mmCIF file of all heavy atoms in Angstrom:
data_model
loop_
_atom_site.group_PDB
_atom_site.id
_atom_site.type_symbol
_atom_site.label_atom_id
_atom_site.label_comp_id
_atom_site.label_asym_id
_atom_site.label_seq_id
_atom_site.Cartn_x
_atom_site.Cartn_y
_atom_site.Cartn_z
ATOM 1 N N VAL K 1399 137.956 72.452 128.979
ATOM 2 C CA VAL K 1399 136.706 73.206 129.101
ATOM 3 C C VAL K 1399 136.588 74.224 127.978
ATOM 4 O O VAL K 1399 137.577 74.819 127.556
ATOM 5 C CB VAL K 1399 136.662 73.969 130.443
ATOM 6 C CG1 VAL K 1399 135.289 74.615 130.650
ATOM 7 C CG2 VAL K 1399 137.012 73.064 131.601
ATOM 8 N N SER K 1400 135.363 74.450 127.528
ATOM 9 C CA SER K 1400 135.097 75.544 126.595
ATOM 10 C C SER K 1400 133.702 76.089 126.831
ATOM 11 O O SER K 1400 132.804 75.376 127.285
ATOM 12 C CB SER K 1400 135.226 75.086 125.135
ATOM 13 O OG SER K 1400 134.227 74.131 124.823
ATOM 14 N N ALA K 1401 133.536 77.371 126.543
ATOM 15 C CA ALA K 1401 132.217 78.003 126.535
ATOM 16 C C ALA K 1401 131.889 78.358 125.100
ATOM 17 O O ALA K 1401 132.780 78.538 124.263
ATOM 18 C CB ALA K 1401 132.218 79.258 127.403
ATOM 19 N N LYS K 1402 130.607 78.448 124.805
ATOM 20 C CA LYS K 1402 130.170 78.885 123.485
ATOM 21 C C LYS K 1402 128.947 79.775 123.673
ATOM 22 O O LYS K 1402 128.036 79.417 124.429
ATOM 23 C CB LYS K 1402 129.851 77.689 122.589
ATOM 24 C CG LYS K 1402 129.802 78.028 121.099
ATOM 25 C CD LYS K 1402 129.645 76.777 120.245
ATOM 26 C CE LYS K 1402 129.639 77.109 118.755
ATOM 27 N NZ LYS K 1402 129.418 75.914 117.917
ATOM 28 N N ILE K 1403 128.952 80.909 123.001
ATOM 29 C CA ILE K 1403 127.926 81.913 123.224
ATOM 30 C C ILE K 1403 127.449 82.464 121.881
ATOM 31 O O ILE K 1403 128.271 82.759 121.001
ATOM 32 C CB ILE K 1403 128.478 83.078 124.073
ATOM 33 C CG1 ILE K 1403 128.984 82.559 125.425
ATOM 34 C CG2 ILE K 1403 127.420 84.157 124.280
ATOM 35 C CD1 ILE K 1403 129.766 83.579 126.215
ATOM 36 N N ARG K 1404 126.123 82.596 121.750
ATOM 37 C CA ARG K 1404 125.559 83.293 120.596
ATOM 38 C C ARG K 1404 124.693 84.438 121.103
ATOM 39 O O ARG K 1404 123.887 84.266 122.008
ATOM 40 C CB ARG K 1404 124.694 82.387 119.716
ATOM 41 C CG ARG K 1404 124.272 83.085 118.401
ATOM 42 C CD ARG K 1404 123.071 82.454 117.741
ATOM 43 N NE ARG K 1404 122.844 82.980 116.386
ATOM 44 C CZ ARG K 1404 122.228 84.138 116.114
ATOM 45 N NH1 ARG K 1404 121.781 84.909 117.109
ATOM 46 N NH2 ARG K 1404 122.071 84.539 114.871
ATOM 47 N N THR K 1405 124.874 85.614 120.511
ATOM 48 C CA THR K 1405 124.049 86.777 120.803
ATOM 49 C C THR K 1405 123.650 87.437 119.488
ATOM 50 O O THR K 1405 124.187 87.113 118.434
ATOM 51 C CB THR K 1405 124.809 87.794 121.671
ATOM 52 O OG1 THR K 1405 125.984 88.240 120.960
ATOM 53 C CG2 THR K 1405 125.226 87.197 123.004
ATOM 54 N N GLY K 1406 122.699 88.371 119.565
ATOM 55 C CA GLY K 1406 122.343 89.151 118.390
ATOM 56 C C GLY K 1406 121.160 88.594 117.624
ATOM 57 O O GLY K 1406 120.517 87.618 118.017
ATOM 58 N N GLY K 1407 120.892 89.248 116.501
ATOM 59 C CA GLY K 1407 119.722 88.908 115.704
ATOM 60 C C GLY K 1407 119.994 87.851 114.661
ATOM 61 O O GLY K 1407 121.060 87.226 114.638
ATOM 62 N N PRO K 1408 119.028 87.643 113.757
ATOM 63 C CA PRO K 1408 119.173 86.623 112.722
ATOM 64 C C PRO K 1408 120.215 87.008 111.689
ATOM 65 O O PRO K 1408 120.476 88.186 111.446
ATOM 66 C CB PRO K 1408 117.772 86.551 112.107
ATOM 67 C CG PRO K 1408 117.156 87.878 112.393
ATOM 68 C CD PRO K 1408 117.705 88.316 113.704
ATOM 69 N N ASN K 1409 120.802 85.992 111.084
ATOM 70 C CA ASN K 1409 121.806 86.194 110.030
ATOM 71 C C ASN K 1409 121.184 85.841 108.682
ATOM 72 O O ASN K 1409 121.568 84.869 108.025
ATOM 73 C CB ASN K 1409 123.044 85.331 110.295
ATOM 74 C CG ASN K 1409 123.754 85.720 111.576
ATOM 75 O OD1 ASN K 1409 123.887 86.898 111.886
ATOM 76 N ND2 ASN K 1409 124.211 84.725 112.325
ATOM 77 N N ASP K 1410 120.216 86.658 108.284
ATOM 78 C CA ASP K 1410 119.547 86.400 107.017
ATOM 79 C C ASP K 1410 120.463 86.693 105.832
ATOM 80 O O ASP K 1410 121.345 87.563 105.897
ATOM 81 C CB ASP K 1410 118.302 87.280 106.896
ATOM 82 C CG ASP K 1410 117.084 86.654 107.537
ATOM 83 O OD1 ASP K 1410 116.818 85.468 107.249
ATOM 84 O OD2 ASP K 1410 116.400 87.333 108.322
ATOM 85 N N ASP K 1411 120.251 85.961 104.735
ATOM 86 C CA ASP K 1411 120.972 86.241 103.496
ATOM 87 C C ASP K 1411 120.497 87.571 102.918
ATOM 88 O O ASP K 1411 119.315 87.935 103.054
ATOM 89 C CB ASP K 1411 120.735 85.114 102.484
ATOM 90 C CG ASP K 1411 121.295 83.787 102.957
ATOM 91 O OD1 ASP K 1411 122.330 83.798 103.646
ATOM 92 O OD2 ASP K 1411 120.685 82.738 102.647
ATOM 93 N N PRO K 1412 121.388 88.322 102.285
ATOM 94 C CA PRO K 1412 121.009 89.624 101.731
ATOM 95 C C PRO K 1412 119.791 89.564 100.821
ATOM 96 O O PRO K 1412 118.934 90.453 100.849
ATOM 97 C CB PRO K 1412 122.270 90.062 100.969
ATOM 98 C CG PRO K 1412 123.391 89.373 101.679
ATOM 99 C CD PRO K 1412 122.830 88.042 102.094
ATOM 100 N N GLU K 1413 119.660 88.498 100.028
ATOM 101 C CA GLU K 1413 118.541 88.406 99.087
ATOM 102 C C GLU K 1413 117.207 88.129 99.790
ATOM 103 O O GLU K 1413 116.143 88.240 99.180
ATOM 104 C CB GLU K 1413 118.803 87.327 98.042
ATOM 105 C CG GLU K 1413 119.023 85.926 98.581
ATOM 106 C CD GLU K 1413 120.488 85.623 98.888
ATOM 107 O OE1 GLU K 1413 121.267 86.577 99.115
ATOM 108 O OE2 GLU K 1413 120.842 84.431 98.902
ATOM 109 N N ASP K 1414 117.257 87.794 101.090
ATOM 110 C CA ASP K 1414 116.024 87.521 101.828
ATOM 111 C C ASP K 1414 115.528 88.718 102.634
ATOM 112 O O ASP K 1414 114.436 88.659 103.216
ATOM 113 C CB ASP K 1414 116.234 86.343 102.787
ATOM 114 C CG ASP K 1414 116.373 85.013 102.066
ATOM 115 O OD1 ASP K 1414 115.884 84.911 100.925
ATOM 116 O OD2 ASP K 1414 116.972 84.088 102.651
ATOM 117 N N LEU K 1415 116.292 89.783 102.695
ATOM 118 C CA LEU K 1415 115.946 90.902 103.571
ATOM 119 C C LEU K 1415 114.641 91.585 103.173
ATOM 120 O O LEU K 1415 113.977 92.198 104.012
ATOM 121 C CB LEU K 1415 117.079 91.929 103.587
ATOM 122 C CG LEU K 1415 118.409 91.428 104.178
ATOM 123 C CD1 LEU K 1415 119.440 92.542 104.162
ATOM 124 C CD2 LEU K 1415 118.214 90.890 105.594
ATOM 125 N N SER K 1416 114.253 91.488 101.926
ATOM 126 C CA SER K 1416 113.013 92.138 101.475
ATOM 127 C C SER K 1416 111.799 91.229 101.584
ATOM 128 O O SER K 1416 110.679 91.648 101.251
ATOM 129 C CB SER K 1416 113.176 92.611 100.024
ATOM 130 O OG SER K 1416 113.421 91.502 99.167
ATOM 131 N N LEU K 1417 111.968 90.012 102.059
ATOM 132 C CA LEU K 1417 110.828 89.096 102.182
ATOM 133 C C LEU K 1417 109.869 89.593 103.263
ATOM 134 O O LEU K 1417 110.292 90.151 104.284
ATOM 135 C CB LEU K 1417 111.315 87.686 102.519
ATOM 136 C CG LEU K 1417 112.120 86.975 101.424
ATOM 137 C CD1 LEU K 1417 112.629 85.630 101.927
ATOM 138 C CD2 LEU K 1417 111.278 86.775 100.169
ATOM 139 N N PRO K 1418 108.562 89.366 103.111
ATOM 140 C CA PRO K 1418 107.561 89.913 104.030
ATOM 141 C C PRO K 1418 107.327 89.039 105.268
ATOM 142 O O PRO K 1418 106.173 88.744 105.627
ATOM 143 C CB PRO K 1418 106.306 89.975 103.161
ATOM 144 C CG PRO K 1418 106.440 88.806 102.255
ATOM 145 C CD PRO K 1418 107.915 88.706 101.938
ATOM 146 N N TYR K 1419 108.411 88.618 105.906
ATOM 147 C CA TYR K 1419 108.299 87.771 107.094
ATOM 148 C C TYR K 1419 108.934 88.489 108.275
ATOM 149 O O TYR K 1419 110.009 89.083 108.144
ATOM 150 C CB TYR K 1419 108.981 86.421 106.877
ATOM 151 C CG TYR K 1419 108.531 85.689 105.636
ATOM 152 C CD1 TYR K 1419 109.442 85.341 104.644
ATOM 153 C CD2 TYR K 1419 107.189 85.358 105.446
ATOM 154 C CE1 TYR K 1419 109.034 84.671 103.502
ATOM 155 C CE2 TYR K 1419 106.777 84.689 104.310
ATOM 156 C CZ TYR K 1419 107.705 84.354 103.335
ATOM 157 O OH TYR K 1419 107.286 83.700 102.206
ATOM 158 N N TRP K 1420 108.284 88.378 109.441
ATOM 159 C CA TRP K 1420 108.851 89.009 110.635
ATOM 160 C C TRP K 1420 110.167 88.332 110.992
ATOM 161 O O TRP K 1420 110.303 87.105 110.922
ATOM 162 C CB TRP K 1420 107.871 88.885 111.804
ATOM 163 C CG TRP K 1420 108.292 89.691 113.004
ATOM 164 C CD1 TRP K 1420 107.942 90.974 113.281
ATOM 165 C CD2 TRP K 1420 109.139 89.262 114.077
ATOM 166 N NE1 TRP K 1420 108.520 91.386 114.458
ATOM 167 C CE2 TRP K 1420 109.277 90.351 114.966
ATOM 168 C CE3 TRP K 1420 109.823 88.073 114.354
ATOM 169 C CZ2 TRP K 1420 110.043 90.288 116.134
ATOM 170 C CZ3 TRP K 1420 110.591 88.003 115.510
ATOM 171 C CH2 TRP K 1420 110.700 89.091 116.380
ATOM 172 N N ALA K 1421 111.143 89.115 111.416
ATOM 173 C CA ALA K 1421 112.440 88.587 111.828
ATOM 174 C C ALA K 1421 112.890 89.318 113.081
ATOM 175 O O ALA K 1421 112.621 90.513 113.259
ATOM 176 C CB ALA K 1421 113.471 88.745 110.713
ATOM 177 N N GLY K 1422 113.543 88.611 113.963
ATOM 178 C CA GLY K 1422 114.032 89.227 115.188
ATOM 179 C C GLY K 1422 114.278 88.190 116.258
ATOM 180 O O GLY K 1422 114.440 86.995 115.970
ATOM 181 N N VAL K 1423 114.304 88.644 117.502
ATOM 182 C CA VAL K 1423 114.615 87.779 118.638
ATOM 183 C C VAL K 1423 113.466 87.816 119.640
ATOM 184 O O VAL K 1423 112.930 88.882 119.946
ATOM 185 C CB VAL K 1423 115.917 88.225 119.332
ATOM 186 C CG1 VAL K 1423 116.188 87.374 120.564
ATOM 187 C CG2 VAL K 1423 117.093 88.154 118.360
ATOM 188 N N VAL K 1424 113.083 86.654 120.140
ATOM 189 C CA VAL K 1424 112.122 86.545 121.229
ATOM 190 C C VAL K 1424 112.927 86.240 122.493
ATOM 191 O O VAL K 1424 113.388 85.106 122.683
ATOM 192 C CB VAL K 1424 111.081 85.439 120.980
ATOM 193 C CG1 VAL K 1424 110.090 85.366 122.143
ATOM 194 C CG2 VAL K 1424 110.351 85.664 119.661
ATOM 195 N N PRO K 1425 113.157 87.235 123.365
ATOM 196 C CA PRO K 1425 113.973 86.998 124.560
ATOM 197 C C PRO K 1425 113.295 86.021 125.519
ATOM 198 O O PRO K 1425 112.071 86.016 125.668
ATOM 199 C CB PRO K 1425 114.106 88.392 125.191
ATOM 200 C CG PRO K 1425 113.781 89.352 124.099
ATOM 201 C CD PRO K 1425 112.759 88.651 123.246
ATOM 202 N N LEU K 1426 114.098 85.199 126.163
ATOM 203 C CA LEU K 1426 113.614 84.284 127.195
ATOM 204 C C LEU K 1426 114.246 84.681 128.525
ATOM 205 O O LEU K 1426 115.431 85.003 128.573
ATOM 206 C CB LEU K 1426 113.986 82.836 126.868
ATOM 207 C CG LEU K 1426 113.455 82.278 125.549
ATOM 208 C CD1 LEU K 1426 113.942 80.847 125.356
ATOM 209 C CD2 LEU K 1426 111.935 82.320 125.528
ATOM 210 N N THR K 1427 113.449 84.674 129.580
ATOM 211 C CA THR K 1427 113.960 85.038 130.891
ATOM 212 C C THR K 1427 113.671 83.928 131.890
ATOM 213 O O THR K 1427 112.715 83.174 131.752
ATOM 214 C CB THR K 1427 113.321 86.348 131.400
ATOM 215 O OG1 THR K 1427 111.903 86.189 131.470
ATOM 216 C CG2 THR K 1427 113.650 87.505 130.474
ATOM 217 N N HIS K 1428 114.519 83.850 132.906
ATOM 218 C CA HIS K 1428 114.355 82.879 133.985
ATOM 219 C C HIS K 1428 113.931 83.641 135.221
ATOM 220 O O HIS K 1428 114.560 84.632 135.593
ATOM 221 C CB HIS K 1428 115.675 82.148 134.249
ATOM 222 C CG HIS K 1428 115.616 81.191 135.397
ATOM 223 N ND1 HIS K 1428 114.998 79.966 135.312
ATOM 224 C CD2 HIS K 1428 116.093 81.282 136.653
ATOM 225 C CE1 HIS K 1428 115.105 79.335 136.469
ATOM 226 N NE2 HIS K 1428 115.765 80.117 137.307
ATOM 227 N N GLY K 1429 112.837 83.207 135.862
ATOM 228 C CA GLY K 1429 112.351 83.931 137.020
ATOM 229 C C GLY K 1429 111.844 83.007 138.108
ATOM 230 O O GLY K 1429 111.721 81.799 137.916
ATOM 231 N N TYR K 1430 111.566 83.602 139.261
ATOM 232 C CA TYR K 1430 111.074 82.850 140.413
ATOM 233 C C TYR K 1430 109.741 83.444 140.871
ATOM 234 O O TYR K 1430 109.608 84.669 140.980
ATOM 235 C CB TYR K 1430 112.068 82.924 141.576
ATOM 236 C CG TYR K 1430 113.398 82.267 141.297
ATOM 237 C CD1 TYR K 1430 114.432 82.983 140.704
ATOM 238 C CD2 TYR K 1430 113.615 80.925 141.620
ATOM 239 C CE1 TYR K 1430 115.655 82.379 140.453
ATOM 240 C CE2 TYR K 1430 114.828 80.318 141.371
ATOM 241 C CZ TYR K 1430 115.845 81.055 140.774
ATOM 242 O OH TYR K 1430 117.052 80.447 140.515
ATOM 243 N N ALA K 1431 108.769 82.603 141.140
ATOM 244 C CA ALA K 1431 107.511 83.043 141.724
ATOM 245 C C ALA K 1431 107.655 83.072 143.247
ATOM 246 O O ALA K 1431 108.678 82.656 143.803
ATOM 247 C CB ALA K 1431 106.387 82.116 141.297
ATOM 248 N N ALA K 1432 106.625 83.555 143.913
ATOM 249 C CA ALA K 1432 106.662 83.635 145.375
ATOM 250 C C ALA K 1432 106.765 82.232 145.972
ATOM 251 O O ALA K 1432 106.083 81.305 145.526
ATOM 252 C CB ALA K 1432 105.412 84.336 145.887
#
């Protein structure tokens, strides 16, 4: 058995950090309705 987990934000290359594109995480949640 093994588990694998990724957390955190994007791993952009240093030369891309000044590019004019939005970067980040869109969280997903699991929920129940009535």
